[in-house]
């Protein structure tokens, strides 16, 4: 039996998770996925617990799947609308979190455009904090659901290869996935225009290239990323059309890949920019399986952190 316990722990990043931690979380997921496949998708595991969703950035998948995950476990889920909260009257983040903690919330789930905010709040409040995406830093639950989706398909990820393509420097999804995939024994290569490739990737054991047409020929999974123009301070590529010409995963490019290659995207997708509709909706795509698994992974995490028994 595993000696790992997540009870009361924060989930702030993949960087500080061990390989055993990651596998412990992934091993808990299938039983929660089974709950979501039932006619009545609800178990009493977290009855009496209160989950607060505190999202300072837009979200469809992460916020909704945390809400669905909490409700399927019978927890009470509160979604704070930041624009109508007292933050708009000048209340500080710290004071807001202290007040939510004083209402005996059991866990805070935080997304913020500034890197490190969930870590700051985790030091400020006694409740566990889950990072739902902080700036360009990390998006740990996205990486967990991505590697779960691959393990579900292949079993062990040891020796498998991944190509992550797009706006790597702006992407918290890329960073968390690089860390999770490397810890699970995968080879990772990132690909994008030179202006979108961060420095220091070699320290994580990651290769980089700007030649998508070559790199796609030797990978087991290709993960496409949205260009995050909201994070750019400078123009990083002359035009969207030129970007799409070189880095859009089209049906023609996909035909150069190995047989059985898996196509992933964390969403939201920009059809025709980084991924062509026929690929997003095609047989190699697991994009909606990622979303389905996102609910089960978040159910497992809430269960492990809030200690439902
Ligand atoms: N993948 C992801 O984080 O999507 P949302 O921004 O919709 O939550």
């Amino acid at each position: 039996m595993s000696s790992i316990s997540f009870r009361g722990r924060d989930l702030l990043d993949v960087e500080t998770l061990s390989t055993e931690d990651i596998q412990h979380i992934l091993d808990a997921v299938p039983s929660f996925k089974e709950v979501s496949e039932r006619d009545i998708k609800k178990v009493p595991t977290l009855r009496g617990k209160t989950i607060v969703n505190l999202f300072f950035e837009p979200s469809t998948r992460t916020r909704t799947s945390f809400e669905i995950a909490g409700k399927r476990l019978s927890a009470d889920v509160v979604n704070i609308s930041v624009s109508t909260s007292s933050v708009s009257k000048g209340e500080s983040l710290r004071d807001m979190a202290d007040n939510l903690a004083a209402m005996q919330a059991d866990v805070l789930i935080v997304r913020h455009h500034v890197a490190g905010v969930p870590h700051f709040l985790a030091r400020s409040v006694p409740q566990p904090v889950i990072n739902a995406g902080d700036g360009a830093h990390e998006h740990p639950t996205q990486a967990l659901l991505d590697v779960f989706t691959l393990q579900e398909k292949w079993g062990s990820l040891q020796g498998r290869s991944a190509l992550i393509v797009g706006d790597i420097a702006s992407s918290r999804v890329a960073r968390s996935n690089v860390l999770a995939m490397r810890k699970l024994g995968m080879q990772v290569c990132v690909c994008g225009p030179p202006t979108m490739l961060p420095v220091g990737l070699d320290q994580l054991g990651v290769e980089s290239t700007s030649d998508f047409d070559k790199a796609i020929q030797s990978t087991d999974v290709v993960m496409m990323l949205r260009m995050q123009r909201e994070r750019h301070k400078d123009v990083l590529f002359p035009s969207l059309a030129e970007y799409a010409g070189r880095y859009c995963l089209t049906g023609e490019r996909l035909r150069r890949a190995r047989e059985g290659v898996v196509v992933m995207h964390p969403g939201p997708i920009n059809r025709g920019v980084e991924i062509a509709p026929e690929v997003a909706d095609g047989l190699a795509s697991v994009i909606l399986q990622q979303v389905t698994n996102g609910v089960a992974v978040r159910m497992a995490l809430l269960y492990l952190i809030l200690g439902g028994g």
Side-chain angles (χ1 to χ4, degrees):
M1 190 170 161
S2 170
S3 59
I4 295 170
S5 173
F6 276 89
R7 192 176 180 135
R9 266 173 74 174
D10 304 305
L11 194 282
L12 297 175
D13 47 45
V14 177
E15 188 171 8
T16 54
L17 292 179
S18 67
T19 303
E20 293 71 28
D21 286 337
I22 295 171
Q23 199 54 56
H24 184 73
I25 296 166
L26 301 184
D27 288 347
V29 178
S31 60
F32 293 99
K33 190 162 176 181
E34 186 271 321
V35 172
S36 294
E37 286 161 359
R38 293 181 195 169
D39 190 27
I40 308 292
K41 303 171 183 58
K42 207 170 182 84
V43 288
T45 314
L46 295 185
R47 196 161 51 199
K49 301 286 184 185
T50 304
I51 294 166
V52 174
N53 265 332
L54 192 51
F55 278 59
F56 291 84
E57 265 192 343
S59 170
T60 298
R61 281 145 290 271
T62 313
R63 197 198 60 75
T64 311
S65 61
F66 265 118
E67 181 172 355
I68 291 174
K71 287 180 171 171
R72 286 194 181 156
L73 296 170
S74 300
D76 297 310
V77 183
V78 179
N79 294 304
I80 307 279
S81 168
V82 172
S83 61
T84 56
S85 74
S86 289
V87 167
S88 63
K89 300 178 201 165
E91 185 175 43
S92 74
L93 200 56
R94 168 75 194 264
D95 283 331
M96 182 186 200
D98 282 347
N99 279 267
L100 296 171
M103 291 181 222
Q104 268 99 36
D106 291 292
V107 60
L108 300 185
I109 298 165
V110 181
R111 170 173 287 190
H112 202 282
H113 53 275
V114 175
V117 163
H119 304 67
F120 165 74
L121 292 181
R123 290 191 297 273
S124 310
V125 299
Q127 284 84 353
V129 172
I130 299 177
N131 180 2
D134 63 322
H137 177 225
E138 279 225 36
H139 192 350
T141 62
Q142 179 68 46
L144 290 168
L145 75 89
D146 291 336
V147 292
F148 175 79
T149 303
L150 293 175
Q151 276 201 352
E152 201 177 35
K153 212 164 177 56
W154 295 329
S156 170
L157 303 191
Q158 194 72 39
R160 294 281 187 169
S161 55
L163 180 67
I164 306 178
V165 184
D167 188 1
I168 309 296
S170 305
S171 176
R172 55 196 178 206
V173 173
R175 185 172 164 75
S176 289
N177 261 294
V178 162
L179 290 162
M181 288 173 169
R182 292 291 297 135
K183 287 179 190 217
L184 294 174
M186 292 183 74
Q187 306 297 318
V188 184
C189 178
V190 296
C191 175
T195 49
M196 295 184 191
L197 294 176
V199 290
L201 283 168
D202 46 336
Q203 286 161 21
L204 297 173
V206 174
E207 288 180 39
S208 62
T209 179
S210 293
D211 189 344
F212 188 19
D213 289 319
K214 185 171 176 208
I216 196 168
Q217 295 172 28
S218 54
T219 188
D220 295 315
V221 54
V222 56
M223 177 180 287
M224 302 307 299
L225 300 175
R226 181 176 68 88
M227 199 201 290
Q228 296 190 268
R229 281 184 291 175
E230 70 275 18
R231 298 202 200 286
H232 296 171
K233 293 189 182 75
D234 303 305
V235 177
L236 301 184
F237 213 78
S239 72
L240 268 189
E242 200 169 327
Y243 178 85
R246 291 201 198 176
Y247 294 104
C248 181
L249 183 54
T250 58
E252 189 192 334
R253 279 208 167 94
L254 191 61
R255 279 190 281 282
R256 297 180 198 166
R258 289 177 181 161
E259 200 181 327
V261 71
V262 174
V263 174
M264 305 184 95
H265 195 309
I269 64 175
N270 287 166
R271 288 171 184 259
V273 179
E274 74 273 9
I275 190 164
E278 77 264 23
V279 176
D281 304 329
L283 289 176
S285 168
V286 296
I287 293 172
L288 292 180
Q289 289 167 46
Q290 291 172 259
V291 177
T292 300
N293 288 336
V295 175
V297 166
R298 289 170 178 125
M299 286 171 80
L301 270 174
L302 291 170
Y303 165 76
L304 291 170
I305 289 171
L306 295 178

